[in-house]
Amino acid sequence: MGPDTTIAAAGRLSARWRAWPWLVATLCLVPVLAAPVLPLIDFYAHAFRYAILAGAGSDPWLAENYRVAWSLLPNLGLDAIGAALFRVLPPLAAARVVALIAIAAPFAGVLVLARCLHRRVGTLPVALAGILAHSFILGWGFANFLLGLGLALAALGLWIAGRDAPGRQLAVAIPAGIVVFLTHGFVFALWGALLAAVEVALALEPGRRGLRTLPRRALRLLAVAAVPTALFLASATSGGEGGVTGTVGNLAAHLRDGSLGARLLDEAWTRADAGLRVAESGWPLGDRLFGAALWALLAVGLGTGRLRLDRRLRLAAWAAAALVVLVPPGLFGVGHLAERMPLVLLALLAAGLAPARRAAGARALVQAVSVLLPLHLLMVTLVWARSGDSYRDFMAAAEGLPAGSLAAPAFGPESQSRDSQKACKPLSFLLGLDRGLAVPTFADPTQQPLEIVGPLAAAMADYDRRAAAASGLSGTAQVAALVASGFDAVVLCQPPDAVAGAVAGARIIGSGRGWTLYLATPG
């Protein structure tokens, strides 16, 4: 083989390496385009808020029920981006673009971190990044967290890449920290912990003067944290409910009523299940089997030395693994924290792992992980595409709802779990997003730049009183309570084969697989 042939072959190989991430990124976005509505539990609740913020009072009915409350908050990333998108795109199209951002951000963040660590992006980081793009957290619809995670991973990579130029490193990290904080406060705290772990790992390297450099490194991290910390203390979130004291209070309450043991067992199962389903398609059993295979391959690779984790991320990965077990369920109004940590751990492994040179079986292991990627994307695409029929039937039934209505979801006793809610819960928020009805959504001024007021606030308060007097409301009893509280339309989520019951003061105007739409009758 002559030199010209060798150069040409190397060029073709380089071109394939450059095309591989773009191909995987494109495939990760296909499921969003295959489904008319995305089966993401809380996603459309947030998207509806973005639409309200974009309209800013242009719809009189929405203006009567929601008050825009822009203020300094640590979770504004997609509120700002989403509001801008909803000003120029139709609501459902804008929501789809937001979903594409939420999927692309962690994928891109992993690749940036991998490039900063390895000076190239190999097959393994791309495959793992593609797998985690559709995650358990995406299933919840936590778009702000996913955008923040992508930014934090990229910023971590830039911090590592700038270690030999301290001035430039700080010049990049300080504004990056502010952006990450304003995107998602909890992600900023995670980013700070990861930076600290990286700095400790670097200080312990041979020839780095050991722990004597830690005070200087700590001062640099404090400089990065100074402005975001001041912003947090000045925000309404710092004084909101659900902080550390709320976590301690919840534990104390369970201890008093003797339910602490059961609560801890339930929490352990929740964390283990979130870890198994870190990559989620919407098929629970399949996702658990997939997750078991994925974690097993990574464990075998690390245990046998076929895969090596970059030394700078080893302590960070251990810290993320510890947080899977130790982080409280919620802080400062941010819930499901422990369920987010397996994704953080997988993202660090995705960026930091590389096949060991000359290790027998390393290439086969990378190929095995790569095979999981198209399997996962196929599962996601099939599950998401299947949601289309239910959505079309629901929106056809919703055309009979009068303008200027209040709507809310209700859940049967068998449909209150996370998996049961995925297909149905988004429907009530679509009544707001697509039909302009007023529905309860995330609108806590200590967390989001929106407040619920007017008739919707009054109906919600009345229902809360009824629910407190009759705990455990569900099914048609919950529908009746919502109608009695002033809601005009109620979406009842129930098992696909359940038969909807009659409700006094309301009539059924449509039903489909797993949902029934009730409309209050006059008088």
Side-chain angles (χ1 to χ4, degrees), residues 130-453:
I131 288 171
L132 63 81
H134 289 271
S135 64
F136 191 75
I137 299 307
L138 179 67
W140 275 115
F142 296 160
N144 257 337
F145 176 84
L146 293 170
L147 175 60
L149 178 60
L151 294 172
L153 293 170
L156 179 62
L158 295 176
W159 175 270
I160 293 172
R163 58 184 290 188
D164 295 326
R168 185 174 61 197
Q169 188 184 47
L170 279 179
V172 172
I174 289 174
I178 296 172
V179 171
V180 172
F181 169 79
L182 292 175
T183 302
H184 200 282
F186 177 67
V187 173
F188 173 77
L190 279 178
W191 182 62
L194 297 177
L195 285 179
V198 167
E199 287 300 295
V200 171
L202 290 173
L204 295 177
E205 284 186 344
R208 293 276 173 177
R209 293 183 294 166
L211 297 178
R212 287 178 294 176
T213 65
L214 279 180
R216 173 174 55 82
R217 295 175 185 274
L219 287 174
R220 291 169 57 76
L221 294 180
L222 288 175
V224 174
V227 174
T229 300
L231 293 175
F232 175 74
L233 293 175
S235 72
T237 305
S238 63
E241 295 182 3
V244 176
T245 55
T247 300
V248 174
N250 289 335
L251 288 175
H254 286 298
L255 186 61
R256 283 195 304 271
D257 62 21
S259 62
L260 182 59
R263 180 68 185 88
L264 291 177
L265 286 175
D266 180 67
E267 187 65 29
W269 163 248
T270 298
R271 295 173 190 233
D273 196 44
L276 279 177
R277 298 165 65 183
V278 62
E280 185 180 44
S281 68
W283 177 27
L285 177 58
D287 291 332
R288 291 182 180 109
L289 294 174
F290 182 94
L294 174 64
W295 289 117
L297 287 172
L298 297 181
V300 168
L302 286 168
T304 60
R306 295 172 186 170
L307 298 179
R308 297 281 181 87
L309 180 61
D310 188 283
R311 66 189 187 283
R312 291 162 289 187
L313 287 191
R314 288 172 188 167
L315 186 57
W318 278 111
L323 287 174
V324 172
V325 178
L326 299 176
V327 73
L331 286 173
F332 297 106
V334 181
H336 304 283
L337 295 187
E339 295 166 59
R340 305 172 195 237
M341 293 312 304
L343 177 62
V344 177
L345 174 59
L346 182 58
L348 292 174
L349 295 177
L353 285 174
R357 294 180 181 178
R358 303 185 184 89
R363 183 178 179 182
L365 193 62
V366 172
Q367 291 173 339
V369 173
S370 300
V371 168
L372 290 179
L373 171 62
L375 174 62
H376 177 56
L377 292 177
L378 177 62
M379 291 166 61
V380 173
T381 303
L382 292 176
V383 172
W384 285 28
R386 193 177 60 187
S387 66
D389 292 340
S390 180
Y391 162 74
R392 283 184 282 267
D393 292 343
F394 177 79
M395 294 312 296
E399 290 181 1
L401 296 176
S405 296
L406 302 178
F411 300 93
E414 309 89 352
S415 300
Q416 302 192 31
S417 68
R418 177 186 185 276
D419 294 326
S420 300
Q421 292 183 25
K422 288 193 71 174
C424 180
K425 190 176 180 181
L427 298 179
S428 62
F429 303 124
L430 287 167
L431 293 177
L433 189 64
D434 195 50
R435 307 294 300 173
L437 275 62
V439 299
T441 188
F442 294 102
D444 179 352
T446 69
Q447 300 293 325
Q448 298 93 21
L450 192 68
E451 182 179 4
I452 294 176
V453 295

